[in-house]
Amino acid sequence: MNQKDLFSQIKNMDKGEQTALLGKIMNALSPDQQKMVQSVVGDQKKMQKIQNNLKNEDISALLSGLAGDGNPQDFLQSPQVINRLKDLLG
């Protein structure tokens, strides 16, 4: 699944599904990560930078990590995710 497909799929979810997905992701983030996400979402230039640098592999890894049997919080706080976020924002 590529980035365009993922965003299309999210846009086609009903509001309840979107809210549940966002809640699952936000609850899995540490308070510092939540602040970082809020900062990025509120800044159009940062959002554009992430969209330009995001790879299909990033999307696949995110979906796999969140859908797996493990704790989403452990996945989102793993060094590989944190380092990739720093790369995207750096």
Side-chain angles (χ1 to χ4, degrees):
M1 174 180 298
N2 65 31
Q3 178 182 350
K4 186 176 179 181
D5 293 339
L6 174 67
F7 290 125
S8 176
Q9 199 173 23
I10 292 170
K11 286 180 185 179
N12 289 329
M13 291 178 172
D14 68 40
K15 294 295 179 190
E17 290 173 320
Q18 288 175 348
T19 301
L21 177 62
L22 182 59
K24 180 177 181 178
I25 292 170
M26 291 302 285
N27 286 333
L29 297 174
S30 70
D32 287 340
Q33 288 172 317
Q34 289 179 13
K35 288 177 186 174
M36 184 183 350
V37 168
Q38 291 170 345
S39 169
V40 169
V41 170
D43 186 327
Q44 187 63 30
K45 288 182 181 181
K46 287 181 183 177
M47 283 295 294
Q48 188 64 44
K49 185 175 184 177
I50 287 177
Q51 288 176 349
N52 290 340
N53 294 326
L54 201 60
K55 299 177 184 174
N56 288 339
E57 297 83 30
D58 296 324
I59 301 293
S60 297
L62 178 63
L63 293 175
S64 295
L66 292 175
D69 292 334
N71 183 341
Q73 187 172 22
D74 292 340
F75 169 72
L76 291 173
Q77 293 181 17
S78 69
Q80 74 185 45
V81 171
I82 291 171
N83 289 334
R84 183 62 184 135
L85 283 173
K86 287 179 182 176
D87 290 343
L88 287 169
L89 295 171

